[in-house]
Amino acid sequence: MASPLSPIHPLPFLSSSSTATTLTRRSLLLSSTLTTTLPTTSLSLPPQLDTNITDRVYLDFSLCPTYFRNATAADSTPLCSDPSPLGRLVLGLYGNLLPLTVSTFKRMCTSSSYKNTLVHKIFPGQFFQAGRQGRSREYGEVRLPPALDLPRNTETVDSKAFLLKHSRPGVVSLCLSENDDDDEVKLDSEYRNVEFLITTGPGPCPQLDNNNIVFGTVLEGLDVVTAIASIPTYKPSERIRQLNDLAEFFGDERAQKGRTLWNRPLKTVYIGDCGELQVTKPSMSPTLP
């Protein structure tokens, strides 16, 4: 029996080397546990968006050197007597992700409602706009026929509809923040927004994100997009901009009307024809430009 004052010798399994080995194993176990658990608890993966192409439509663009002649809305003859074709855009639409927006756009194409309407604004290095609604079709503005009976697009107030970004050339988007339809048209109880934009590149357009609905992509015809983007536009002088800002400050309504002329193409570019192309494989993934 050992005396109370005799030293106690450490047991072999509590040696310093064994303890260090035990701590090392614990450290490895702890680090591996943290490595496997932290990403699932602290990071959330972005939702998977269904960008499979369900529909294809085409838009044929042309230049009109002599501008449009006067015509009534019921007149289906060409508004330009000597057009210069720019080419065809083939657009792939995300019908699974945005069924209402895609259905409306497709019906606008199949009903020829976009036919003989203008590309009314071009922002160099960013995007161009088409499908503006106005009071008279003789100026190349869209007039929705009552028989079309488009449904109200509830996706414009759905946050999930704004998840896709304007990250590259050839993005097709429904104009919301950039919409410049005639104010009188917007006051109509049957008003439906059908104005759209297509990004031209070369870079992304982050200012459009979260404010406009991306619902498709250009599958063929990026050279046509580039050709449209290169058309010169009206750019007001710095003095005109300052006077316009001053008029807006004092509440002059003419300031807003004056700005509608900014970024207008100096050549008349319009949609000469439009329609639907049959998709052989509805579930196919888009071929990105």
Side-chain angles (χ1 to χ4, degrees), residues 109-171:
C109 292
T110 56
S111 65
S112 298
S113 296
Y114 284 134
K115 185 175 180 179
N116 291 332
T117 61
L118 294 174
V119 172
H120 61 277
K121 281 195 176 180
I122 300 173
F123 295 85
Q126 300 180 60
F127 59 93
F128 67 81
Q129 292 174 242
R132 181 183 187 273
Q133 293 184 64
R135 290 169 290 180
S136 176
R137 203 181 161 89
E138 69 179 89
Y139 299 111
E141 296 173 326
V142 170
R143 290 288 288 175
L144 298 182
L148 199 57
D149 192 25
L150 295 175
R152 195 170 297 278
N153 191 350
T154 56
E155 290 167 353
T156 58
V157 293
D158 184 355
S159 60
K160 296 179 181 178
F162 296 86
L163 295 178
L164 291 178
K165 306 302 180 183
H166 302 76
S167 57
R168 52 183 172 76
V171 171

Side-chain angles (χ1 to χ4, degrees), residues 12-236:
F13 60 82
L14 292 178
S15 63
S16 59
S17 61
S18 177
T19 304
T21 303
T22 304
L23 289 175
T24 302
R25 288 174 180 169
R26 287 177 181 173
S27 300
L28 290 173
L29 180 62
L30 180 60
S31 64
S32 63
T33 303
L34 290 174
T35 302
T36 55
T37 57
L38 278 178
T40 57
T41 56
S42 61
L43 298 176
S44 58
L45 296 176
Q48 295 295 320
L49 302 177
D50 187 354
T51 55
N52 286 327
I53 291 175
T54 58
D55 306 273
R56 289 190 183 196
V57 297
Y58 67 89
L59 300 172
D60 292 338
F61 289 89
S62 297
L63 284 174
C64 185
T66 56
Y67 200 67
F68 283 0
R69 63 174 178 81
N70 291 334
T72 63
D75 193 348
S76 60
T77 57
L79 293 176
C80 182
S81 59
D82 51 351
S84 176
L86 288 174
R88 169 171 291 191
L89 291 187
V90 176
L91 311 180
L93 309 180
Y94 309 143
N96 293 335
L97 183 64
L98 298 156
L100 285 174
T101 304
V102 166
S103 173
T104 296
F105 187 78
K106 187 171 70 170
R107 288 179 66 185
M108 289 293 295
C109 292
T110 56
S111 65
S112 298
S113 296
Y114 284 134
K115 185 175 180 179
N116 291 332
T117 61
L118 294 174
V119 172
H120 61 277
K121 281 195 176 180
I122 300 173
F123 295 85
Q126 300 180 60
F127 59 93
F128 67 81
Q129 292 174 242
R132 181 183 187 273
Q133 293 184 64
R135 290 169 290 180
S136 176
R137 203 181 161 89
E138 69 179 89
Y139 299 111
E141 296 173 326
V142 170
R143 290 288 288 175
L144 298 182
L148 199 57
D149 192 25
L150 295 175
R152 195 170 297 278
N153 191 350
T154 56
E155 290 167 353
T156 58
V157 293
D158 184 355
S159 60
K160 296 179 181 178
F162 296 86
L163 295 178
L164 291 178
K165 306 302 180 183
H166 302 76
S167 57
R168 52 183 172 76
V171 171
V172 185
S173 184
L174 179 68
C175 286
L176 296 179
S177 66
E178 306 302 317
N179 181 281
D180 57 356
D181 286 336
D182 190 279
D183 290 337
E184 185 175 323
V185 175
K186 289 182 179 180
L187 293 175
D188 191 327
S189 60
E190 298 301 318
Y191 169 72
R192 301 290 186 268
N193 181 13
V194 296
E195 186 176 336
F196 65 96
L197 64 85
I198 298 178
T199 57
T200 61
C205 294
Q207 75 277 16
L208 300 177
D209 294 342
N210 307 314
N211 296 310
N212 304 275
I213 299 177
V214 175
F215 65 92
T217 183
V218 175
L219 297 178
E220 300 175 22
L222 271 180
D223 57 326
V224 180
V225 173
T226 303
I228 295 174
S230 66
I231 294 173
T233 60
Y234 170 69
K235 296 179 178 62

